Amino acid sequence: MAGMVWVMEGIPLLSSKIHHGLRSVDPCFRLHALQKWKAMDWNDLKYFLTLAQAKSLSAAAARLGTSPSTVSRRIEALEQALKVRLFRPHRDGYSLTEAGQSLVPEAEQAGTRMRVFERNALEAGDDLAGTVRIEAPELLGRDVLLPALIRFMEDYPAIRLELRSSVQPVRLAAEEADLVIRLVRPVRGNYRLRRVGKIRFGLYASADHVARHGIPDRPEDLHRHRVIGWTEDFAFLTMAGWLAANCPGLRPSLRLTSFTAQVEAVGMDAGWAVLPEFIAVPAGFLPGLASLPRLESDLWLLAHEQSLALPRVRLVRDHIAGILKNRFHGPKSED
């Protein structure tokens, strides 16, 4: 039977908070350790990364399906092989040493590639059967891809789809998805790119809200209206930047953390929000700030290099490319 996993918010990346800003480890140690990594068994990486994330022997053992003593022995053996302490035991569990922290990025990358390799090897004989993992922006995944992929599943019942959708862009270095849809062209990563369209954004409010409060024609008018914005931790988003650049000093009346919540709030007459055109127009929302050019963003479809060896991934990629090009006026030729 075909199946689909729908995840509205992405799963936190393994140990993503552990290694930020750590560049002070002795380069000689790093070279020695990286040479050793290449000779390590895949299980050594699994034990190291799982304990780094779980921070206790019992929690790591539960995730690995083994005993705490086995985890302890594997970590000790790894430290002896690398000739360095990777973990510091304390009363509440285990924390990474500086040396251990410095190796997390390389270990994550090696582990991810090994998981992709293992999965592809196990499923190589099933041309059009198995799982395809897709990462997409929040509303695009829900309103555009999901309906089309449900129809696709009827034609290919042996292909299982996992669709993860979030307002935050996926971290490509983790390489956890077969296919990724992004609004910003990546500069690195083991992915092949296709430009599949262009998404337009604008400032929108409900018809009832406009009837009561009018339409802002100029950016300075917006200071006299209720605006729905993003919380500070989402200030990096293109939409938030566009609003801040065109309306300096604007203080939103309501700050939210998802597009879904913003669409709902506009529908409840809460005020004006920067929304994608493909959502706002069908909903009957009315545009404001007609004097400003609309925000436009290229839409990119990324396919993992190794995953493209699987016929089912190529099939889903081509199907998604057709959906997005038709909906968002993408180029007829492949970029």
Side-chain angles (χ1 to χ4, degrees):
M1 290 291 293
M4 180 180 291
V5 178
W6 174 249
V7 183
M8 283 301 297
E9 295 294 339
I11 296 174
L13 296 168
L14 189 62
S15 303
S16 60
K17 295 182 180 179
I18 295 176
H19 54 81
H20 288 310
L22 291 165
R23 295 289 184 269
S24 59
V25 175
D26 181 358
C28 294
F29 161 71
R30 288 179 61 84
L31 178 61
H32 167 76
L34 291 176
Q35 290 171 340
K36 286 286 187 179
W37 271 144
K38 296 178 182 179
M40 289 293 120
D41 184 275
W42 163 221
N43 284 322
D44 292 326
L45 289 181
K46 286 197 291 189
Y47 279 85
F48 170 74
L49 289 172
T50 303
L51 183 56
Q53 184 187 39
K55 297 182 176 57
S56 77
L57 291 176
S58 57
R63 297 184 189 187
L64 292 166
T66 187
S67 66
S69 60
T70 299
V71 176
S72 178
R73 286 197 302 271
R74 295 299 293 258
I75 294 300
E76 288 176 5
L78 181 58
E79 290 178 331
Q80 290 174 6
L82 294 176
K83 296 182 172 58
V84 68
R85 290 289 299 274
L86 299 175
F87 292 92
R88 184 181 300 107
H90 50 81
R91 186 173 63 180
D92 298 325
Y94 281 70
S95 61
L96 285 159
T97 64
E98 186 177 7
Q101 289 171 327
S102 73
L103 292 179
V104 168
E106 288 84 1
E108 283 184 337
Q109 189 174 50
T112 298
R113 290 179 178 175
M114 182 57 70
R115 286 193 297 272
V116 172
F117 176 81
E118 286 181 340
R119 174 176 158 240
N120 290 355
L122 288 171
E123 300 177 349
D126 299 323
D127 286 350
L128 295 178
T131 302
V132 177
R133 297 176 174 87
I134 307 161
E135 298 268 2
E138 183 187 354
L139 293 179
L140 189 69
R142 187 195 72 180
D143 288 56
V144 177
L145 290 186
L146 187 58
L149 290 175
I150 289 174
R151 294 191 293 271
F152 172 86
M153 290 163 57
E154 295 176 359
D155 295 328
Y156 298 95
I159 294 179
R160 298 182 298 279
L161 301 176
E162 184 175 308
L163 179 58
R164 299 177 181 272
S165 185
S166 172
V167 70
Q168 297 214 39
V170 63
R171 180 173 170 245
L172 296 180
E175 300 182 16
E176 294 182 341
D178 301 307
L179 303 171
V180 178
I181 301 164
R182 293 191 70 175
L183 298 177
V184 178
R185 179 172 185 163
V187 295
R188 62 178 62 87
N190 295 316
Y191 289 86
R192 294 186 189 176
L193 310 180
R194 283 189 188 181
R195 186 167 62 87
V196 290
K198 191 180 292 290
I199 291 185
R200 296 177 177 86
F201 296 82
L203 189 72
Y204 291 93
S206 67
D208 287 344
H209 184 83
V210 168
R212 291 199 303 272
H213 302 284
I215 296 178
D217 295 318
R218 300 171 301 173
E220 53 267 31
D221 296 339
L222 205 54
H223 290 274
R224 297 189 294 271
H225 288 260
R226 287 207 309 263
V227 176
I228 303 163
W230 297 89
T231 56
E232 292 298 330
D233 48 331
F234 287 96
F236 66 90
L237 293 175
T238 304
M239 302 74 66
W242 179 84
L243 191 59
N246 286 288
C247 305
L250 182 69
R251 299 177 65 183
S253 303
L254 177 63
R255 295 180 184 270
L256 300 170
T257 60
S258 76
F259 262 130
T260 300
Q262 293 208 4
V263 172
E264 293 289 336
V266 171
M268 296 174 184
D269 309 329
W272 296 87
V274 180
L275 299 175
E277 187 178 276
F278 74 88
I279 292 292
V281 172
F285 299 156
L286 300 180
L289 295 185
S291 62
L292 288 180
R294 294 297 172 90
L295 171 65
E296 293 187 343
S297 181
D298 285 332
L299 192 59
W300 297 93
L301 174 60
L302 288 61
H304 193 278
E305 288 275 5
Q306 287 181 290
S307 298
L308 283 175
L310 300 173
R312 67 176 180 276
V313 173
R314 297 196 299 272
L315 179 68
V316 175
R317 178 200 60 179
D318 293 343
H319 185 71
I320 289 176
I323 294 167
L324 297 178
K325 285 183 178 183
N326 289 335
R327 184 70 179 268
F328 300 108
H329 311 291
K332 293 182 180 179
S333 60
E334 294 184 10
D335 287 3

